[in-house]
Structure formats: C-alpha cells, structure tokens
C-alpha cells in the first residue's frame, strides 16, 4: 500500500506509542505527536475593557499581564480552523514550516 506521508502524519521517532491528549475544541483523544499544537497569548482583560482599566490605573505606564495558553487540536479541528491545509501530492514533500500569520 502506498504511503501518503513520509512520517505517517506523526512526530514520533523510534517510539512505539505516545501519550494521548484531548483536543481543545471537540475533546477527542489524539496522540500527542499527531496533535496540532499552538500557543496563544492575550491580555487578562478584554480589549473593550482595556482602555477603561488603563484610564483608572494609578500608574502611568502600567501594562496588564498576558495570559499564555497552549491549545492542542485534532487534525479535523485544525483543518476547520484553517491552522493547517491539505496540500497537493508534490507539495506534501516540502518539509519547511508554513507562513506565520501576525495580527495587527
């Protein structure tokens, strides 16, 4: 049977089995090496409240701390949220990471 990907869609090298993690969106069990991992950071307060908090703050140059969150998605949720895309057969052989999108 032909192989679709060189690594079989997984990131484990010479390990027989890996620990399962839960998808952040649908709570599906996914092997840890197959899950699509992203880290997010955002302010503690919403952007709508941020201006009110900075105006009421006693300090001039105080910045609110950030909340760092690590999210793990199954492949189907990552495709749905457009974090990863399916590629053509020739393009699958490219091993370079994709473009990083920046907001703002």
């Amino acid at each position: 049977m032909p192989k679709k990907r060189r690594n079989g869609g997984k990131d484990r090298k010479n390990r027989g089995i890996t620990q399962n993690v839960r998808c952040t969106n649908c709570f599906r069990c996914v092997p840890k090496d197959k899950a699509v991992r992203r880290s997010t950071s955002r302010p503690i307060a919403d952007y709508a409240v941020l201006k009110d908090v900075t105006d009421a703050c006693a300090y001039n140059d105080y910045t609110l701390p950030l909340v760092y969150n690590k999210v793990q998605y199954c492949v189907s949720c990552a495709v749905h949220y457009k974090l990863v895309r399916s590629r053509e057969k020739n393009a699958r052989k490219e091993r370079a990471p994709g473009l990083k999108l920046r907001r703002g």
Side-chain angles (χ1 to χ4, degrees):
M1 195 154 171
K3 264 183 100 168
K4 193 171 185 182
R5 287 173 187 81
R6 179 178 159 188
N7 61 1
K10 296 174 180 69
D11 193 23
R12 60 175 174 241
K13 306 291 184 198
N14 221 7
R15 274 175 291 183
I17 196 166
T18 56
Q19 188 177 9
N20 285 337
V21 295
R22 293 291 188 155
C23 174
T24 305
N25 186 41
C26 66
F27 218 62
R28 179 183 291 168
C29 260
V30 188
K32 186 178 179 182
D33 58 323
K34 190 173 188 175
V36 179
R37 296 174 293 276
R38 297 288 186 266
S39 59
T40 60
S41 62
R42 59 181 182 84
I44 287 181
D46 292 335
Y47 290 106
V49 182
L50 199 60
K51 187 175 186 305
D52 296 333
V53 172
T54 53
D55 290 343
C57 186
Y59 301 105
N60 292 333
D61 294 331
Y62 180 73
T63 58
L64 285 174
L66 298 174
V67 174
Y68 296 97
N69 192 12
K70 183 178 178 186
V71 290
Q72 298 171 336
Y73 294 106
C74 63
V75 175
S76 60
C77 288
V79 169
H80 179 73
Y81 284 126
K82 298 180 182 175
L83 299 175
V84 294
R85 294 182 181 157
S86 59
R87 298 184 289 176
E88 295 179 1
K89 190 172 184 179
N90 296 333
R92 280 187 211 133
K93 301 198 182 302
E94 296 173 9
R95 314 250 317 152
L99 296 174
K100 294 198 174 188
L101 300 175
R102 294 187 182 191
R103 293 183 185 169

